[in-house]
Amino acid sequence: MKLWNRKKPHFPLLVFVFSLFLVFSILHNERSILQIQDHPDHAPRHQILVTYVKPNRLTRQNHVTEVLDRFSTCNSTREYSGRKIAWTDNLTPEPDNGGSRRENLESCDVFSGKWVYDNSTYPLYNESECPYMSDQLACHKHGRSDLDYQYWRWQPHNCNLKRWNVIDMWEKLRGKRLMFVGDSLNRGQWISMVCLLQSVIPKDKRSMSPNAALTIFRAEEYNATVEFLWAPLLVESNSDDPVNHRLEDRIIRPDSVVKHASIWENADILIFNSYLWWRQGAVKLLSREWKPGNEGNCYSEKSPIELEGYWGSGSDLPTMSMVDNVLSKLSSKVSVLNITQLSEYRKDGHPSIYRKFLEALKPEQLSNPASYSDCIHWCLPGVPDVWNELIYHFL
């Protein structure tokens, strides 16, 4: 099945795959990052077991169905040595073959730059003025008084990003489906995109479907939709329920995407992310990455990392290289927008304790805020807005 092609598209299908390699690296305690996707206070203390189920197949000898119920993962955990992370010689990304890498169409590397404080043009929207804002991401509403995290603009070194223009973006989306597919991080980016777009659409000309596996924001005037599909592992799994997905035994079918692909195959633009859900084990950061004394937690952080060229201890450059190399060989138009490094600078941009928690916090948690800080997701307005500016830039 060809998943990426449509008959007579308005423009070639563009698939953005966001390499969110940073988010798993910012937890202070030993809880598995897979257990706090949405609500850190829900996380059990023991590690999740992952079961890979291989689809049934016929053996060549007697055409009898062979069933393999589980096999071991290829993941491994290594303690960070403190050495600077660099590309290894045999994993250097292959040269572009002339079409699949959108970023090579630009005159400079927009992912190499710095965060510039800009309280004159940012934020691009107000938290309180977006009716679709999530309480899990509305940090100011839930008590965060320092708002500097809203005022940082990403500035590439040798060029400028295209300035956000909401009308122009809607024209690019006219008659099309823009779909985000993935986990709660991708859902946060989808909410960001909706907040960036919704202000110019009259209330009676826009709608939002009820929360479900597929949630759709629709703009009648442009005959366009901005959609989110909950598929945290992209492939079929027992975590595909958008509400009840925090399970002790996570089961996946690693080469079965038909269930989700039947929903996304007719979309015009797809943004995928599921990296966090494929990571296992707890990861700690070196203390130099955080304010002295907080032992590797985003609680009370109020400024970005200033060290240029910084890579966090959780950055997995060999995996990034592998993704680049594999996707560059696809015949369809697929681009990797590697926002890992620019996001890792922003240790100040996480909700920490300033979000809605669905269950009452225990006294021992309240006495130690760092113990329940959300250091995975991002406050809005904030870092995900820049991810969406990059989408606009490449469209």
Side-chain angles (χ1 to χ4, degrees):
M1 177 185 297
K2 294 183 179 181
L3 300 181
W4 317 124
N5 295 325
R6 277 185 80 179
K7 296 181 179 179
K8 299 180 180 179
H10 293 279
F11 61 82
L13 178 66
L14 186 59
V15 180
F16 289 110
V17 183
F18 275 78
S19 305
L20 297 180
F21 299 108
L22 68 149
V23 290
F24 64 89
S25 67
I26 48 184
L27 298 180
H28 162 58
N29 54 37
E30 293 296 335
R31 292 173 299 177
S32 169
I33 55 170
L34 294 176
Q35 297 168 314
I36 59 173
Q37 280 295 303
D38 293 318
H39 312 293
D41 51 310
H42 289 180
R45 296 293 181 177
H46 54 280
Q47 182 167 335
I48 289 178
L49 298 177
V50 180
T51 302
Y52 297 86
V53 178
K54 194 168 184 179
N56 297 347
R57 63 184 183 183
L58 298 179
T59 60
R60 294 182 178 179
Q61 292 81 359
N62 52 15
H63 299 284
V64 177
T65 300
E66 175 190 3
V67 180
L68 299 178
D69 287 328
R70 78 172 58 211
F71 53 89
S72 60
T73 73
C74 62
N75 295 330
S76 63
T77 302
R78 296 182 181 179
E79 182 178 354
Y80 179 55
S81 65
R83 293 180 299 173
K84 183 177 180 180
I85 302 173
W87 296 111
T88 57
D89 293 339
N90 62 337
L91 288 172
T92 302
E94 297 177 0
D96 180 69
N97 57 11
S100 64
R101 298 299 306 279
R102 294 277 297 183
E103 55 264 46
N104 286 341
L105 299 178
E106 297 296 317
S107 59
C108 76
D109 181 4
V110 298
F111 306 102
S112 176
K114 62 181 180 180
W115 288 95
V116 177
Y117 189 81
D118 179 359
N119 61 357
S120 60
T121 59
Y122 281 74
L124 297 175
Y125 57 89
N126 293 322
E127 175 191 296
S128 61
E129 295 177 358
C130 179
Y132 309 106
M133 178 61 64
S134 167
D135 276 338
Q136 280 71 50
L137 309 175
C139 299
H140 180 49
K141 175 182 177 181
H142 290 277
R144 183 165 182 174
S145 58
D146 65 297
L147 299 182
D148 284 352
Y149 68 91
Q150 299 184 2
Y151 300 134
W152 293 94
R153 170 174 55 84
W154 178 249
Q155 177 60 57
H157 286 311
N158 300 312
C159 60
N160 294 315
L161 285 180
K162 187 188 301 183
R163 184 170 177 81
W164 175 263
N165 184 311
V166 62
I167 299 298
D168 185 45
M169 183 62 173
W170 273 122
E171 289 299 335
K172 294 178 184 295
L173 297 178
R174 184 180 290 276
K176 297 179 175 63
R177 295 176 65 195
L178 168 62
M179 183 183 293
F180 294 80
V181 181
D183 57 16
S184 58
L185 285 162
N186 230 21
R187 182 169 55 204
Q189 187 182 356
W190 166 72
I191 292 171
S192 163
M193 181 65 84
V194 171
C195 290
L196 286 164
L197 290 171
Q198 60 85 29
S199 62
V200 298
I201 307 297
K203 291 183 179 180
D204 61 344
K205 298 294 183 182
R206 69 190 188 209
S207 63
M208 179 74 78
S209 68
N211 288 331
L214 179 65
T215 310
I216 303 173
F217 175 79
R218 188 180 306 275
E220 294 181 17
E221 179 180 353
Y222 292 92
N223 188 30
T225 60
V226 182
E227 309 175 27
F228 172 70
L229 174 63
W230 175 264
L233 291 153
L234 301 187
V235 295
E236 186 177 350
S237 77
N238 65 344
S239 298
D240 289 340
D241 188 298
V243 177
N244 300 315
H245 51 261
R246 291 177 291 275
L247 306 172
E248 293 187 10
D249 293 303
R250 187 161 291 147
I251 304 172
I252 70 169
R253 297 187 181 277
D255 55 0
S256 176
V257 297
V258 175
K259 173 184 174 182
H260 300 313
S262 64
I263 301 173
W264 75 51
E265 65 177 337
N266 289 319
D268 297 282
I269 308 168
L270 287 166
I271 297 95
F272 289 112
N273 166 54
S274 75
Y275 180 76
L276 179 62
W277 279 62
W278 289 92
R279 301 294 300 193
Q280 296 185 68
V283 180
K284 288 187 178 180
L285 291 183
L286 299 181
S287 60
R288 68 180 179 85
E289 301 173 351
W290 305 93
K291 187 171 65 177
N294 68 0
E295 300 180 358
N297 189 279
C298 65
Y299 176 67
S300 79
E301 293 288 351
K302 297 181 180 180
S303 59
I305 292 173
E306 297 179 354
L307 178 63
E308 189 169 337
Y310 163 81
W311 285 102
S313 61
S315 297
D316 190 342
L317 272 71
T319 298
M320 297 182 206
S321 177
M322 177 186 66
V323 170
D324 270 349
N325 290 340
V326 170
L327 294 182
S328 68
K329 296 179 173 65
L330 297 182
S331 59
S332 300
K333 187 163 291 186
V334 178
S335 293
V336 178
L337 303 189
N338 192 335
I339 48 76
T340 307
Q341 189 173 50
L342 69 88
S343 303
E344 284 195 318
Y345 291 124
R346 294 299 309 280
K347 60 178 181 176
D348 60 310
H350 300 289
S352 182
I353 65 173
Y354 303 109
R355 50 161 287 181
K356 181 179 180 180
F357 295 97
L358 298 185
E359 293 183 359
L361 296 170
K362 299 176 182 179
E364 55 268 28
Q365 291 177 305
L366 292 172
S367 65
N368 181 17
S371 68
Y372 67 93
S373 291
D374 180 353
C375 299
I376 289 182
H377 303 93
W378 301 92
C379 296
L380 292 179
V383 173
D385 302 328
V386 173
W387 303 344
N388 287 324
E389 285 185 273
L390 286 165
I391 291 179
Y392 172 66
H393 180 84
F394 283 97
L395 284 176

